[in-house]
Short mmCIF file of all heavy atoms in Angstrom, two decimals:
data_model
loop_
_atom_site.label_atom_id
_atom_site.label_comp_id
_atom_site.label_asym_id
_atom_site.label_seq_id
_atom_site.Cartn_x
_atom_site.Cartn_y
_atom_site.Cartn_z
N GLU Z 69 -19.42 19.39 9.82
CA GLU Z 69 -18.99 20.78 9.79
C GLU Z 69 -17.55 20.89 9.30
O GLU Z 69 -17.23 21.73 8.46
CB GLU Z 69 -19.13 21.42 11.17
CG GLU Z 69 -18.69 22.89 11.14
CD GLU Z 69 -18.83 23.58 12.47
OE1 GLU Z 69 -18.17 23.13 13.45
OE2 GLU Z 69 -19.56 24.58 12.53
N THR Z 73 -18.78 22.05 5.70
CA THR Z 73 -18.85 23.50 5.85
C THR Z 73 -17.48 24.15 5.68
O THR Z 73 -17.32 25.06 4.88
CB THR Z 73 -19.45 23.88 7.22
OG1 THR Z 73 -20.71 23.23 7.39
CG2 THR Z 73 -19.63 25.37 7.35
N LEU Z 74 -16.51 23.66 6.44
CA LEU Z 74 -15.19 24.28 6.40
C LEU Z 74 -14.34 23.75 5.25
O LEU Z 74 -13.71 24.51 4.52
CB LEU Z 74 -14.46 24.05 7.73
CG LEU Z 74 -15.17 24.61 8.96
CD1 LEU Z 74 -14.43 24.21 10.23
CD2 LEU Z 74 -15.35 26.11 8.87
N VAL Z 77 -17.13 24.03 1.50
CA VAL Z 77 -17.78 25.30 1.15
C VAL Z 77 -16.85 26.48 1.40
O VAL Z 77 -16.55 27.24 0.48
CB VAL Z 77 -19.11 25.48 1.92
CG1 VAL Z 77 -19.74 26.83 1.60
CG2 VAL Z 77 -20.09 24.36 1.57
N VAL Z 78 -16.39 26.64 2.63
CA VAL Z 78 -15.55 27.80 2.94
C VAL Z 78 -14.22 27.73 2.19
O VAL Z 78 -13.80 28.70 1.56
CB VAL Z 78 -15.34 27.93 4.46
CG1 VAL Z 78 -14.36 29.06 4.78
CG2 VAL Z 78 -16.67 28.18 5.17
N ALA Z 81 -14.86 28.39 -1.52
CA ALA Z 81 -15.17 29.79 -1.81
C ALA Z 81 -13.91 30.65 -1.70
O ALA Z 81 -13.66 31.52 -2.54
CB ALA Z 81 -16.24 30.30 -0.85
N ARG Z 82 -13.09 30.38 -0.69
CA ARG Z 82 -11.88 31.18 -0.51
C ARG Z 82 -10.87 30.93 -1.64
O ARG Z 82 -10.15 31.83 -2.05
CB ARG Z 82 -11.26 30.90 0.85
CG ARG Z 82 -12.11 31.47 1.98
CD ARG Z 82 -11.33 31.65 3.25
NE ARG Z 82 -12.15 32.22 4.31
CZ ARG Z 82 -12.43 33.50 4.46
NH1 ARG Z 82 -11.97 34.37 3.59
NH2 ARG Z 82 -13.17 33.92 5.45
N PRO Z 88 -13.13 39.76 -1.55
CA PRO Z 88 -14.08 39.33 -0.52
C PRO Z 88 -15.49 39.10 -1.08
O PRO Z 88 -16.14 38.11 -0.74
CB PRO Z 88 -14.04 40.47 0.49
CG PRO Z 88 -12.65 41.03 0.37
CD PRO Z 88 -12.36 40.94 -1.12
N GLU Z 89 -15.95 39.99 -1.94
CA GLU Z 89 -17.27 39.79 -2.55
C GLU Z 89 -17.27 38.56 -3.45
O GLU Z 89 -18.22 37.79 -3.48
CB GLU Z 89 -17.70 41.03 -3.34
CG GLU Z 89 -18.11 42.17 -2.46
CD GLU Z 89 -18.61 43.39 -3.24
OE1 GLU Z 89 -18.85 43.27 -4.47
OE2 GLU Z 89 -18.77 44.46 -2.61
N ARG Z 91 -15.50 35.92 -3.05
CA ARG Z 91 -15.52 34.72 -2.21
C ARG Z 91 -16.93 34.41 -1.73
O ARG Z 91 -17.33 33.26 -1.66
CB ARG Z 91 -14.54 34.88 -1.05
CG ARG Z 91 -13.08 34.79 -1.52
CD ARG Z 91 -12.10 34.75 -0.38
NE ARG Z 91 -11.86 36.04 0.23
CZ ARG Z 91 -11.00 36.95 -0.24
NH1 ARG Z 91 -10.31 36.72 -1.34
NH2 ARG Z 91 -10.82 38.09 0.40
N LEU Z 92 -17.67 35.46 -1.40
CA LEU Z 92 -19.08 35.24 -1.01
C LEU Z 92 -19.85 34.61 -2.16
O LEU Z 92 -20.54 33.60 -1.98
CB LEU Z 92 -19.73 36.57 -0.61
CG LEU Z 92 -19.42 37.07 0.79
CD1 LEU Z 92 -19.76 38.54 0.93
CD2 LEU Z 92 -20.17 36.24 1.83
N LEU Z 93 -19.72 35.17 -3.35
CA LEU Z 93 -20.45 34.64 -4.51
C LEU Z 93 -20.00 33.23 -4.87
O LEU Z 93 -20.79 32.42 -5.34
CB LEU Z 93 -20.28 35.58 -5.70
CG LEU Z 93 -21.00 36.93 -5.57
CD1 LEU Z 93 -20.55 37.88 -6.67
CD2 LEU Z 93 -22.52 36.75 -5.57
N ILE Z 95 -19.46 30.85 -3.01
CA ILE Z 95 -20.22 29.85 -2.24
C ILE Z 95 -21.23 29.16 -3.16
O ILE Z 95 -21.40 27.95 -3.13
CB ILE Z 95 -20.93 30.49 -1.03
CG1 ILE Z 95 -19.89 30.89 0.03
CG2 ILE Z 95 -22.00 29.56 -0.45
CD1 ILE Z 95 -20.45 31.74 1.16
N PHE Z 96 -21.88 29.95 -4.01
CA PHE Z 96 -22.89 29.38 -4.89
C PHE Z 96 -22.28 28.61 -6.05
O PHE Z 96 -22.93 27.73 -6.61
CB PHE Z 96 -23.86 30.48 -5.35
CG PHE Z 96 -24.68 31.00 -4.20
CD1 PHE Z 96 -24.41 32.24 -3.65
CD2 PHE Z 96 -25.69 30.23 -3.64
CE1 PHE Z 96 -25.13 32.71 -2.58
CE2 PHE Z 96 -26.42 30.69 -2.55
CZ PHE Z 96 -26.14 31.94 -2.02
N ILE Z 131 -29.02 23.70 15.09
CA ILE Z 131 -29.21 25.16 15.09
C ILE Z 131 -27.86 25.85 15.35
O ILE Z 131 -27.53 26.85 14.70
CB ILE Z 131 -30.27 25.58 16.13
CG1 ILE Z 131 -31.66 25.13 15.64
CG2 ILE Z 131 -30.24 27.08 16.38
CD1 ILE Z 131 -32.75 25.26 16.68
N GLU Z 132 -27.06 25.31 16.27
CA GLU Z 132 -25.75 25.90 16.54
C GLU Z 132 -24.83 25.80 15.33
O GLU Z 132 -24.11 26.75 15.01
CB GLU Z 132 -25.11 25.20 17.74
CG GLU Z 132 -25.78 25.54 19.06
CD GLU Z 132 -25.21 24.77 20.23
OE1 GLU Z 132 -24.04 24.33 20.16
OE2 GLU Z 132 -25.93 24.63 21.24
N TYR Z 133 -24.87 24.67 14.63
CA TYR Z 133 -24.04 24.54 13.42
C TYR Z 133 -24.51 25.49 12.32
O TYR Z 133 -23.69 26.06 11.60
CB TYR Z 133 -24.01 23.10 12.92
CG TYR Z 133 -23.12 22.22 13.76
CD1 TYR Z 133 -23.64 21.21 14.55
CD2 TYR Z 133 -21.74 22.41 13.77
CE1 TYR Z 133 -22.82 20.40 15.33
CE2 TYR Z 133 -20.90 21.63 14.56
CZ TYR Z 133 -21.45 20.62 15.32
OH TYR Z 133 -20.63 19.85 16.10
N LEU Z 134 -25.82 25.69 12.21
CA LEU Z 134 -26.34 26.66 11.24
C LEU Z 134 -25.89 28.07 11.61
O LEU Z 134 -25.54 28.87 10.74
CB LEU Z 134 -27.86 26.56 11.14
CG LEU Z 134 -28.37 25.29 10.45
CD1 LEU Z 134 -29.86 25.10 10.69
CD2 LEU Z 134 -28.06 25.31 8.96
N GLU Z 135 -25.87 28.38 12.90
CA GLU Z 135 -25.36 29.68 13.35
C GLU Z 135 -23.88 29.82 13.02
O GLU Z 135 -23.41 30.91 12.66
CB GLU Z 135 -25.60 29.89 14.84
CG GLU Z 135 -24.90 31.12 15.43
CD GLU Z 135 -25.13 32.45 14.70
OE1 GLU Z 135 -26.23 32.67 14.16
OE2 GLU Z 135 -24.19 33.27 14.64
N ASN Z 136 -23.13 28.73 13.13
CA ASN Z 136 -21.71 28.79 12.75
C ASN Z 136 -21.55 29.18 11.28
O ASN Z 136 -20.65 29.94 10.93
CB ASN Z 136 -21.04 27.44 12.99
CG ASN Z 136 -20.91 27.10 14.46
OD1 ASN Z 136 -21.11 27.94 15.33
ND2 ASN Z 136 -20.58 25.85 14.73
N ILE Z 137 -22.43 28.66 10.43
CA ILE Z 137 -22.38 29.02 9.01
C ILE Z 137 -22.68 30.51 8.85
O ILE Z 137 -21.96 31.23 8.13
CB ILE Z 137 -23.36 28.16 8.19
CG1 ILE Z 137 -22.91 26.69 8.22
CG2 ILE Z 137 -23.47 28.69 6.75
CD1 ILE Z 137 -23.95 25.71 7.70
N ARG Z 138 -23.72 30.99 9.54
CA ARG Z 138 -24.03 32.43 9.46
C ARG Z 138 -22.86 33.26 9.96
O ARG Z 138 -22.55 34.31 9.41
CB ARG Z 138 -25.29 32.75 10.28
CG ARG Z 138 -26.56 32.59 9.51
CD ARG Z 138 -27.76 33.23 10.20
NE ARG Z 138 -27.93 32.81 11.58
CZ ARG Z 138 -28.50 31.67 11.97
NH1 ARG Z 138 -28.96 30.82 11.07
NH2 ARG Z 138 -28.63 31.39 13.24
N SER Z 139 -22.20 32.78 11.00
CA SER Z 139 -21.06 33.50 11.54
C SER Z 139 -19.92 33.58 10.52
O SER Z 139 -19.26 34.63 10.38
CB SER Z 139 -20.58 32.82 12.83
OG SER Z 139 -19.46 33.46 13.35
N LEU Z 140 -19.69 32.50 9.81
CA LEU Z 140 -18.67 32.51 8.76
C LEU Z 140 -19.03 33.50 7.66
O LEU Z 140 -18.18 34.26 7.19
CB LEU Z 140 -18.50 31.11 8.17
CG LEU Z 140 -17.86 30.08 9.11
CD1 LEU Z 140 -18.08 28.67 8.58
CD2 LEU Z 140 -16.38 30.38 9.29
N VAL Z 141 -20.30 33.52 7.27
CA VAL Z 141 -20.76 34.48 6.25
C VAL Z 141 -20.63 35.89 6.78
O VAL Z 141 -20.19 36.81 6.06
CB VAL Z 141 -22.21 34.16 5.81
CG1 VAL Z 141 -22.78 35.28 4.96
CG2 VAL Z 141 -22.27 32.83 5.07
N ARG Z 142 -20.98 36.10 8.05
CA ARG Z 142 -20.85 37.42 8.67
C ARG Z 142 -19.40 37.90 8.60
O ARG Z 142 -19.14 39.05 8.25
CB ARG Z 142 -21.32 37.34 10.13
CG ARG Z 142 -21.46 38.66 10.84
CD ARG Z 142 -21.98 38.49 12.28
NE ARG Z 142 -23.16 37.67 12.34
CZ ARG Z 142 -23.24 36.46 12.95
NH1 ARG Z 142 -22.19 35.96 13.57
NH2 ARG Z 142 -24.36 35.78 12.94
N GLY Z 143 -18.47 37.01 8.89
CA GLY Z 143 -17.05 37.36 8.80
C GLY Z 143 -16.64 37.70 7.38
O GLY Z 143 -15.86 38.65 7.16
N MET Z 144 -17.16 36.97 6.42
CA MET Z 144 -16.85 37.26 5.02
C MET Z 144 -17.44 38.62 4.62
O MET Z 144 -16.82 39.36 3.85
CB MET Z 144 -17.36 36.13 4.12
CG MET Z 144 -16.62 34.82 4.36
SD MET Z 144 -17.38 33.41 3.51
CE MET Z 144 -16.63 33.59 1.89
N ALA Z 145 -18.63 38.92 5.13
CA ALA Z 145 -19.25 40.22 4.85
C ALA Z 145 -18.43 41.35 5.44
O ALA Z 145 -18.28 42.42 4.83
CB ALA Z 145 -20.68 40.25 5.39
N GLU Z 146 -17.88 41.12 6.63
CA GLU Z 146 -17.02 42.13 7.25
C GLU Z 146 -15.75 42.33 6.43
O GLU Z 146 -15.29 43.47 6.25
CB GLU Z 146 -16.71 41.75 8.69
CG GLU Z 146 -17.93 41.88 9.59
CD GLU Z 146 -17.78 41.19 10.94
OE1 GLU Z 146 -16.71 40.58 11.21
OE2 GLU Z 146 -18.75 41.26 11.73
N GLU Z 147 -15.18 41.23 5.91
CA GLU Z 147 -14.00 41.35 5.04
C GLU Z 147 -14.33 42.18 3.81
O GLU Z 147 -13.48 42.93 3.31
CB GLU Z 147 -13.53 39.96 4.58
CG GLU Z 147 -12.88 39.12 5.65
CD GLU Z 147 -12.58 37.71 5.16
OE1 GLU Z 147 -12.44 37.50 3.93
OE2 GLU Z 147 -12.48 36.81 6.01
N ALA Z 148 -15.57 42.03 3.32
CA ALA Z 148 -16.00 42.77 2.13
C ALA Z 148 -16.46 44.19 2.48
O ALA Z 148 -16.85 44.94 1.59
CB ALA Z 148 -17.14 42.02 1.44
N LYS Z 149 -16.41 44.53 3.78
CA LYS Z 149 -16.80 45.85 4.26
C LYS Z 149 -18.26 46.18 3.92
O LYS Z 149 -18.60 47.32 3.57
CB LYS Z 149 -15.85 46.94 3.76
CG LYS Z 149 -14.42 46.71 4.23
CD LYS Z 149 -13.52 47.86 3.87
CE LYS Z 149 -12.08 47.72 4.28
NZ LYS Z 149 -11.62 46.66 5.09
N LEU Z 150 -19.12 45.17 4.02
CA LEU Z 150 -20.54 45.38 3.77
C LEU Z 150 -21.21 45.92 5.03
O LEU Z 150 -20.80 45.59 6.15
CB LEU Z 150 -21.19 44.06 3.33
CG LEU Z 150 -20.64 43.46 2.03
CD1 LEU Z 150 -21.34 42.14 1.72
CD2 LEU Z 150 -20.79 44.42 0.87
N ARG Z 151 -22.24 46.73 4.83
CA ARG Z 151 -22.99 47.29 5.95
C ARG Z 151 -23.87 46.21 6.59
O ARG Z 151 -24.32 45.30 5.91
CB ARG Z 151 -23.90 48.43 5.47
CG ARG Z 151 -23.16 49.68 5.05
CD ARG Z 151 -24.09 50.80 4.59
NE ARG Z 151 -24.78 50.44 3.35
CZ ARG Z 151 -26.08 50.16 3.25
NH1 ARG Z 151 -26.86 50.16 4.29
NH2 ARG Z 151 -26.61 49.86 2.08
N ASP Z 152 -24.15 46.37 7.87
CA ASP Z 152 -25.03 45.48 8.62
C ASP Z 152 -24.69 44.01 8.33
O ASP Z 152 -25.48 43.26 7.78
CB ASP Z 152 -26.50 45.77 8.29
CG ASP Z 152 -27.47 44.92 9.09
OD1 ASP Z 152 -27.07 44.35 10.14
OD2 ASP Z 152 -28.63 44.80 8.65
N SER Z 153 -23.49 43.63 8.71
CA SER Z 153 -23.01 42.29 8.39
C SER Z 153 -23.89 41.20 8.99
O SER Z 153 -24.04 40.13 8.39
CB SER Z 153 -21.55 42.12 8.84
OG SER Z 153 -21.43 42.31 10.22
N ASP Z 154 -24.51 41.45 10.15
CA ASP Z 154 -25.38 40.45 10.74
C ASP Z 154 -26.66 40.28 9.90
O ASP Z 154 -27.04 39.16 9.57
CB ASP Z 154 -25.74 40.80 12.19
CG ASP Z 154 -26.56 39.69 12.83
OD1 ASP Z 154 -26.03 38.56 12.95
OD2 ASP Z 154 -27.73 39.94 13.19
N GLY Z 155 -27.28 41.39 9.55
CA GLY Z 155 -28.48 41.31 8.71
C GLY Z 155 -28.16 40.70 7.35
O GLY Z 155 -28.93 39.90 6.82
N PHE Z 156 -27.00 41.08 6.81
CA PHE Z 156 -26.57 40.51 5.54
C PHE Z 156 -26.42 38.99 5.66
O PHE Z 156 -26.91 38.24 4.82
CB PHE Z 156 -25.24 41.13 5.10
CG PHE Z 156 -24.66 40.47 3.89
CD1 PHE Z 156 -25.05 40.87 2.62
CD2 PHE Z 156 -23.75 39.42 4.00
CE1 PHE Z 156 -24.54 40.26 1.48
CE2 PHE Z 156 -23.22 38.80 2.88
CZ PHE Z 156 -23.62 39.22 1.61
N ALA Z 157 -25.74 38.53 6.72
CA ALA Z 157 -25.49 37.10 6.90
C ALA Z 157 -26.80 36.33 7.04
O ALA Z 157 -26.94 35.21 6.52
CB ALA Z 157 -24.60 36.86 8.11
N ARG Z 158 -27.77 36.91 7.74
CA ARG Z 158 -29.07 36.23 7.89
C ARG Z 158 -29.77 36.11 6.54
O ARG Z 158 -30.31 35.05 6.21
CB ARG Z 158 -29.93 36.97 8.90
CG ARG Z 158 -29.42 36.81 10.31
CD ARG Z 158 -30.26 37.53 11.35
NE ARG Z 158 -29.70 37.32 12.67
CZ ARG Z 158 -29.87 36.22 13.40
NH1 ARG Z 158 -30.59 35.23 12.93
NH2 ARG Z 158 -29.31 36.10 14.58
N SER Z 159 -29.75 37.17 5.76
CA SER Z 159 -30.38 37.12 4.43
C SER Z 159 -29.63 36.17 3.51
O SER Z 159 -30.24 35.40 2.75
CB SER Z 159 -30.42 38.52 3.81
OG SER Z 159 -31.24 39.38 4.58
N TRP Z 160 -28.30 36.22 3.56
CA TRP Z 160 -27.48 35.35 2.73
C TRP Z 160 -27.75 33.88 3.06
O TRP Z 160 -27.85 33.03 2.17
CB TRP Z 160 -26.01 35.68 2.96
CG TRP Z 160 -25.07 35.06 1.98
CD1 TRP Z 160 -24.46 33.85 2.08
CD2 TRP Z 160 -24.64 35.62 0.73
NE1 TRP Z 160 -23.67 33.62 0.98
CE2 TRP Z 160 -23.77 34.70 0.14
CE3 TRP Z 160 -24.91 36.82 0.08
CZ2 TRP Z 160 -23.15 34.94 -1.08
CZ3 TRP Z 160 -24.30 37.06 -1.13
CH2 TRP Z 160 -23.43 36.12 -1.69
N HIS Z 161 -27.88 33.61 4.35
CA HIS Z 161 -28.12 32.24 4.79
C HIS Z 161 -29.47 31.74 4.30
O HIS Z 161 -29.63 30.55 3.98
CB HIS Z 161 -28.01 32.16 6.31
CG HIS Z 161 -27.70 30.79 6.81
ND1 HIS Z 161 -28.09 30.37 8.04
CD2 HIS Z 161 -27.04 29.75 6.25
CE1 HIS Z 161 -27.69 29.11 8.22
NE2 HIS Z 161 -27.06 28.72 7.14
N ILE Z 162 -30.45 32.63 4.22
CA ILE Z 162 -31.74 32.26 3.64
C ILE Z 162 -31.56 31.84 2.19
O ILE Z 162 -32.14 30.85 1.73
CB ILE Z 162 -32.77 33.41 3.78
CG1 ILE Z 162 -33.17 33.57 5.24
CG2 ILE Z 162 -34.00 33.16 2.90
CD1 ILE Z 162 -33.97 34.83 5.53
N MET Z 164 -28.81 30.63 0.87
CA MET Z 164 -28.11 29.34 0.87
C MET Z 164 -29.08 28.19 1.14
O MET Z 164 -29.13 27.20 0.40
CB MET Z 164 -26.99 29.35 1.93
CG MET Z 164 -25.82 30.25 1.59
SD MET Z 164 -24.62 30.40 2.95
CE MET Z 164 -23.91 28.74 2.97
N LYS Z 165 -29.86 28.33 2.22
CA LYS Z 165 -30.78 27.25 2.59
C LYS Z 165 -31.86 27.07 1.53
O LYS Z 165 -32.21 25.93 1.20
CB LYS Z 165 -31.39 27.54 3.97
CG LYS Z 165 -30.38 27.44 5.10
CD LYS Z 165 -30.99 27.69 6.46
CE LYS Z 165 -31.33 29.14 6.67
NZ LYS Z 165 -31.68 29.47 8.06
N LEU Z 189 -28.16 41.38 -3.21
CA LEU Z 189 -28.03 41.54 -1.76
C LEU Z 189 -26.71 42.23 -1.41
O LEU Z 189 -26.67 43.12 -0.56
CB LEU Z 189 -28.12 40.16 -1.08
CG LEU Z 189 -28.14 40.15 0.44
CD1 LEU Z 189 -29.35 40.91 0.98
CD2 LEU Z 189 -28.15 38.72 0.94
N ILE Z 190 -25.65 41.84 -2.08
CA ILE Z 190 -24.34 42.48 -1.87
C ILE Z 190 -24.45 43.97 -2.21
O ILE Z 190 -24.01 44.83 -1.44
CB ILE Z 190 -23.24 41.80 -2.70
CG1 ILE Z 190 -22.89 40.45 -2.08
CG2 ILE Z 190 -21.99 42.69 -2.78
CD1 ILE Z 190 -21.93 39.61 -2.92
N HIS Z 193 -26.01 46.07 0.40
CA HIS Z 193 -25.26 46.20 1.67
C HIS Z 193 -23.89 46.87 1.49
O HIS Z 193 -23.14 46.98 2.46
CB HIS Z 193 -25.09 44.82 2.32
CG HIS Z 193 -26.33 44.34 2.97
ND1 HIS Z 193 -26.59 44.55 4.31
CD2 HIS Z 193 -27.41 43.68 2.48
CE1 HIS Z 193 -27.75 44.03 4.63
NE2 HIS Z 193 -28.28 43.50 3.53
#
Side-chain angles (χ1 to χ4, degrees):
E69 181 179 60
T73 305
L74 301 175
V77 177
V78 175
R82 290 200 179 279
E89 287 183 12
R91 288 188 282 277
L92 280 163
L93 290 169
I95 290 171
F96 293 105
I131 289 170
E132 289 176 24
Y133 284 113
L134 289 166
E135 170 52 34
N136 291 348
I137 295 168
R138 273 194 307 279
S139 178
L140 291 165
V141 169
R142 189 178 310 115
M144 293 171 84
E146 290 166 359
E147 288 174 25
K149 299 187 181 353
L150 299 178
R151 290 181 293 110
D152 183 18
S153 60
D154 185 62
F156 173 85
R158 289 180 180 281
S159 296
W160 192 270
H161 203 208
I162 290 169
M164 290 173 69
K165 292 181 287 191
L189 186 61
I190 287 172
H193 284 266

